[in-house]
Amino acid sequence: MTEHHELAFRLGRAAALSLVAGTVGGAAVLAGQAIAARNRRYAQPELGLALRATVGRAGAPPLRLVLLGDSSALGVGVERFEETVGGQLAHLLAEGPTGWQVHLSSVGVAGSRSTDLATQVARALLGERPDVALILVGANDATTMTRPADAAAYLAAAVRRLREAHVEVVVGTCPDLGAVRAVASPLRQVLGWSGRRVARTQTTAVLDAGGSVVDLATETGPVFRADAGTLCHDGYHPSADGYRVWAHALLPAVSAAAAVASRHH
């Protein structure tokens, strides 16, 4: 199943589940919006995007940064590595006060939910151990109406495994799904509500497991709601500008994690 069809299915399921408490009129509106969402064309992963790259000057302190999670960990919605959240974050780290040489990789898979992180953690720990892991996940848990506690438990297990392997972990929680333009109101509000529930449980679970958290919805949601240019052509995935907003929001926590990791070398 392509990500387009997976997303359409998820949006349809979210609409159907939200109808239980709705009126007949509301049900008709939501059903219509789910059909419209199914017929949209969504961005696909760019096969040419590098999943491994080195950014920064030779001889600078090395930093192995791995991205895990869903389509955002791959950069779906943009065409060039430099536009992905990982690419932009790597450049910010390389240009910052420490001036890291960032060895960036991604094991993210488009369409992933928190339950898929176990496989990604195993891949991330193959070979040379990363210093910092950045996990971007939650949107697909929210759109499938996965129980937040279940999603958070899988995320916490992933964070614990990485921490036990002496990897610093930063989690960007579920972004503001109320900002997406691929879906109209009131379905958009339903997804926004579901995303906030997921983000709240993610925060508690990650902190308890020893990771650090960046609340992407709170930090970046207002910008995404105000500026349509933060989303790519499909109105769902971030654009280069959107990923830049995320990268700047994630930078302080990732920089702090990198500093801690460097002291353990």
Side-chain angles (χ1 to χ4, degrees):
M1 188 184 290
T2 66
E3 188 188 358
H4 168 208
H5 290 115
E6 286 178 359
L7 179 58
F9 172 78
R10 292 196 298 268
L11 292 171
R13 183 164 180 250
L17 290 171
S18 68
L19 302 185
V20 175
T23 63
V24 172
V29 171
L30 285 166
Q33 290 174 353
I35 291 168
R38 267 197 294 274
N39 291 329
R40 288 183 69 92
R41 291 180 60 84
Y42 294 94
Q44 301 296 308
E46 286 285 335
L47 298 180
L49 283 179
L51 298 185
R52 291 185 179 276
T54 297
V55 177
R57 61 181 177 81
L63 175 67
R64 296 190 176 279
L65 174 63
V66 63
L67 271 63
L68 303 86
D70 55 26
S71 58
S72 57
L74 285 175
V76 172
V78 299
E79 296 179 355
R80 297 168 56 240
F81 165 76
E82 292 78 10
E83 297 173 331
T84 66
V85 66
Q88 298 197 57
L89 189 55
H91 280 284
L92 289 171
L93 289 163
E95 295 160 6
T98 305
W100 301 100
Q101 184 184 53
V102 183
H103 302 282
L104 180 75
S105 61
S106 175
V107 294
V109 178
S112 289
R113 294 183 287 167
S114 296
T115 185
D116 300 308
L117 290 174
T119 303
Q120 294 186 25
V121 169
R123 289 177 58 202
L125 294 176
L126 282 173
E128 202 158 357
R129 175 179 59 81
D131 300 303
V132 178
L134 170 61
I135 304 177
L136 300 171
V137 77
N140 297 321
D141 293 301
T143 57
T144 53
M145 298 292 171
T146 301
R147 283 184 66 245
D150 292 344
Y154 284 112
L155 175 58
V159 173
R160 277 194 296 272
R161 280 179 63 199
L162 288 163
R163 295 295 295 121
E164 287 165 2
H166 308 292
V167 178
E168 298 298 317
V169 182
V170 177
V171 175
T173 57
C174 182
D176 182 8
L177 297 178
V180 303
R181 289 167 171 79
V183 182
S185 299
L187 182 54
R188 186 188 301 171
Q189 276 72 24
V190 172
L191 295 180
W193 165 80
S194 181
R196 288 191 296 275
R197 290 175 71 223
V198 168
R200 280 195 298 271
T201 55
Q202 284 180 316
T203 297
T204 303
V206 170
L207 294 176
D208 287 348
S212 59
V213 172
V214 177
D215 184 341
L216 285 178
T218 299
E219 294 281 330
T220 69
V223 180
F224 276 76
R225 287 178 182 245
D227 181 6
T230 53
L231 296 173
C232 76
H233 65 84
D234 68 7
Y236 184 82
H237 295 94
S239 64
D241 285 340
Y243 282 131
R244 183 178 304 113
V245 171
W246 279 11
H248 280 277
L250 292 162
L251 180 62
V254 175
S255 294
V260 172
S262 70
R263 291 199 292 271
H264 294 161
H265 275 305

